Amino acid sequence: MTYFPESNPANPARRVKIHDSIVVAIRSEGCQPTRGKLRDLSATGGLLLLSKALEEGDFVELAIPTSAGTVHGMAELLATKQESPSGCMQPFRFVALDDENHSILHKALESLLYQTLVGSRPAKRPSP
């Protein structure tokens, strides 16, 4: 079965900030493969740091390595949010994921969310 993730503005998917550098492979028909760094990830999409903006509205294949495995999916590129001499931030939304990749994505999100929550808690002090 193929999933077609849809965003719901009334109940948006929780985005997880990526603190480690995750390099994403990006392929687009008729273009050379490129790479970007993943900054945010959710069940419906994410945010990439790219050296230069890709065309808004293009459909691309993404390969996102995670602790649960590599997520392979189709995504639509959205309007660039921020551009600078060092690169740009470009959001994307997933448009199709098969069962296995949908499962890997959800496991990866749970793991990243856990790491974020555990990492943000103050260390417990030993009892006297």
Side-chain angles (χ1 to χ4, degrees):
M1 179 177 190
T2 300
Y3 290 88
F4 303 98
E6 292 186 34
S7 58
N8 178 354
N11 188 18
R14 182 168 185 162
R15 289 198 178 266
V16 179
K17 288 255 183 244
I18 308 298
H19 299 289
D20 297 328
S21 184
I22 296 177
V23 178
V24 176
I26 306 161
R27 284 194 330 181
S28 180
E29 191 173 308
C31 295
Q32 288 289 332
T34 188
R35 296 191 182 279
K37 291 184 180 177
L38 189 64
R39 292 295 181 227
D40 291 348
L41 185 63
S42 78
T44 58
L47 184 65
L48 296 167
L49 173 62
L50 303 171
S51 59
K52 66 176 189 156
L54 299 175
E55 193 66 35
E56 177 184 351
D58 276 0
F59 291 95
V60 297
E61 292 179 50
L62 299 178
I64 305 170
T66 72
S67 60
T70 301
V71 176
H72 295 273
M74 294 296 298
E76 178 184 12
L77 299 174
L78 304 175
T80 304
K81 289 190 169 217
Q82 179 183 16
E83 291 194 50
S84 70
S86 62
C88 66
M89 302 296 266
Q90 187 152 25
F92 66 90
R93 70 178 187 93
F94 288 115
V95 293
L97 294 166
D98 65 21
D99 283 338
E100 182 180 355
N101 287 289
H102 185 257
S103 177
I104 293 169
L105 175 62
H106 280 275
K107 287 176 187 172
L109 285 168
E110 287 175 11
S111 176
L112 288 166
L113 184 57
Y114 177 78
Q115 291 171 14
T116 300
L117 292 174
V118 169
S120 66
R121 290 185 182 166
K124 287 187 174 182
R125 294 183 183 183
S127 301

